[in-house]
Amino acid sequence: KAGVTQTPRYLIKTRGQQVTLSCSPISGHRSVSWYQQTPGQGLQFLFEYFSETQRNKGNFPGRFSGRQFSNSRSEMNVSTLELGDSALYLCASSLYGSGAGNQPQHFGDGTRLSIL
Amino acid sequence: GENVEQHPSTLSVQEGDSAVIKCTYSDSASNYFPWYKQELGKRPQLIIDIRSNVGEKKDQRIAVTLNKTAKHFSLHITETQPEDSAVYFCAASTRGRSGGSNYKLTFGKGTLLTVNP
């Protein structure tokens, strides 16, 4: 099976712009979770989608949003970018998600977002 | 609460020695505890996990122990090799802000393990 695929791998934006990141889960996996990884804070949970519904949300401002499509692919959007949004954004997929059965999560390679 | 504390933040050992990384969690409802290994520039990879109905699990040179009463779990790596050098993250399933049965994974801040040849 192909692993979790994230696009693009690298992105450079300027303050105030918006960005959309994409994640394709492992075939058959229905849950997608998004994380922000920074050197100081480690992996911080953004949100989880399951069957096109946001099932869980972390402590991030409303500028961070996401959605999931019927084929389980997910997108994450960040509006009005700030310098502090520079980070590695990781998505992870699992069969049912940690909301139902606490299944293992499998990560993609991430999108490295740099804000100038 | 949904804190996961991980110690130490850095660990340096000689090849062949053992390495132990410890984590504590605060959510008494946590019932799933995975460990991830992340090499430089790579994705986090699941190396072992344990559920709350089990006290210990072993996979070759890697073992994890869980003490539910004390709310702590540990990763043990024996006979370390240079290729074990990486950042290791522990995680615990924690309830979402609205409680209920929708769990999410909360991660520790990571341990940089260096195995010296």
Side-chain angles (χ1 to χ4, degrees):
Chain A
K1 277 186 180 176
V4 178
T5 305
Q6 290 188 247
T7 56
R9 288 295 310 278
Y10 303 92
L11 209 45
I12 299 175
K13 292 286 186 179
T14 57
R15 282 182 299 173
Q17 288 187 308
Q18 72 163 12
V19 67
T20 299
L21 313 181
S22 179
C23 173
S24 292
I26 292 171
S27 178
H29 284 195
R30 296 170 61 193
S31 167
V32 174
S33 297
W34 288 90
Y35 297 86
Q36 181 193 68
Q37 185 174 27
T38 56
Q41 296 300 317
L43 280 131
Q44 292 195 289
F45 174 77
L46 281 153
F47 28 64
E48 178 197 354
Y49 285 87
F50 178 78
S51 291
E52 302 176 65
T53 300
Q54 187 182 85
R55 186 158 61 178
N56 224 325
K57 191 178 189 314
N59 299 324
F60 279 81
R63 300 185 297 108
F64 292 81
S65 63
R67 59 177 175 168
Q68 187 179 34
F69 302 95
S70 58
N71 62 357
S72 295
R73 189 177 72 84
S74 177
E75 287 182 346
M76 188 191 108
N77 184 275
V78 188
S79 62
T80 320
L81 286 165
E82 300 177 0
L83 292 176
D85 297 334
S86 293
L88 179 67
Y89 290 88
L90 292 160
C91 82
S93 77
S94 57
L95 271 174
Y96 304 113
S98 54
N102 296 324
Q103 298 293 313
Q105 295 188 17
H106 302 273
F107 284 87
D109 287 327
T111 294
R112 174 77 60 186
L113 176 62
S114 298
I115 312 301
L116 303 179
Chain B
E2 52 180 70
N3 277 348
V4 176
E5 300 286 337
Q6 183 171 348
H7 299 280
S9 56
T10 60
L11 179 59
S12 182
V13 300
Q14 288 300 121
E15 183 177 358
D17 287 350
S18 295
V20 180
I21 302 170
K22 299 182 179 182
C23 290
T24 60
Y25 61 97
S26 57
D27 188 343
S28 57
S30 294
N31 54 18
Y32 175 63
F33 308 89
W35 286 86
Y36 286 84
K37 174 185 179 182
Q38 187 176 29
E39 296 175 59
L40 190 61
K42 301 255 179 96
R43 67 181 71 185
Q45 291 203 301
L46 179 67
I47 56 171
I48 196 167
D49 56 10
I50 192 168
R51 297 188 186 276
S52 57
N53 57 347
V54 175
E56 185 173 357
K57 185 176 178 180
K58 196 171 180 182
D59 183 3
Q60 298 182 0
R61 296 185 297 109
I62 293 172
V64 59
T65 58
L66 171 66
N67 183 326
K68 278 212 75 177
T69 303
K71 295 198 189 112
H72 67 70
F73 56 114
S74 302
L75 177 72
H76 305 253
I77 306 174
T78 58
E79 299 170 24
T80 53
Q81 301 165 2
E83 49 265 40
D84 293 330
S85 297
V87 177
Y88 290 81
F89 292 95
C90 66
S93 61
T94 56
R95 285 170 290 190
R97 282 189 293 184
S98 56
S101 60
N102 281 340
Y103 286 79
K104 60 183 176 71
L105 277 183
T106 298
F107 285 79
K109 289 201 184 330
T111 296
L112 174 60
L113 173 64
T114 303
V115 181
N116 302 300

